[in-house]
C-alpha cells in the first residue's frame, strides 16, 4: 500500500472566493442606478407587504376569537403562532 504524500499543490475544498460570498461591494457599485432604484422599490414593497400582513391580523383577531370561542389569552397564542409560522416560512424560502 503506497504512502499518501501531501503535496503543496493539493486542491483546497474551500477556496477564498466561496467563503467571501457571491457579491462584493465592487459588484454592487457597478450596478446601474436605475437597477438599484428598482431593487430598492422591490425590497420596500416586500417589507410593506410583510408588515401589512402582520398588522391586518390584529384587526381580524376579534371576530376570529368570537367565532372560535377562545379567550383573549388564547388569541395571543393564535397571533404568536401565526407570526412564528410566517417567519419560519420566510426564512426557508
Amino acid at each position: 500500500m503506497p504512502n499518501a504524500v501531501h503535496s503543496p499543490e493539493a486542491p483546497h475544498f474551500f477556496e477564498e472566493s466561496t467563503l467571501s460570498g457571491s457579491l462584493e461591494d465592487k459588484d454592487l457599485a457597478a450596478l446601474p442606478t436605475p437597477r438599484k432604484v428598482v431593487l430598492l422599490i422591490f425590497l420596500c414593497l416586500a417589507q410593506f407587504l410583510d408588515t401589512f400582513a402582520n398588522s391586518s391580523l390584529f384587526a381580524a383577531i376579534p371576530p376570529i376569537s368570537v367565532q372560535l370561542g377562545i379567550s383573549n389569552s388564547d388569541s395571543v397564542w393564535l397571533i404568536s403562532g401565526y407570526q412564528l409560522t410566517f417567519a419560519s416560512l420566510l426564512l426557508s424560502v
Side-chain angles (χ1 to χ4, degrees), residues 4 7 27 30-32 45 55 60-62 68 73-74 82-83 86 90:
S7 67
D27 294 335
L31 286 175
L45 180 65
S55 64
I61 280 295
L68 293 176
S73 61
D74 290 336
Y82 170 78
Q83 290 177 337
F86 187 74
L90 281 177

Side-chain angles (χ1 to χ4, degrees), residues 4-20:
V5 177
H6 298 288
S7 67
E9 287 85 25
H12 298 287
F13 291 109
F14 299 107
E15 294 180 12
E16 187 174 329
S17 63
T18 59
L19 292 177
S20 65

Side-chain angles (χ1 to χ4, degrees), residues 31-69:
L31 286 175
T33 302
R35 189 166 182 176
K36 289 179 189 177
V37 170
V38 169
L39 185 61
L40 178 66
I41 290 171
F42 180 74
L43 292 175
C44 288
L45 180 65
Q47 180 66 35
F48 171 75
L49 290 175
D50 181 32
T51 305
F52 183 74
N54 279 329
S55 64
S56 65
L57 181 67
F58 292 118
I61 280 295
I64 291 173
S65 62
V66 167
Q67 287 181 355
L68 293 176

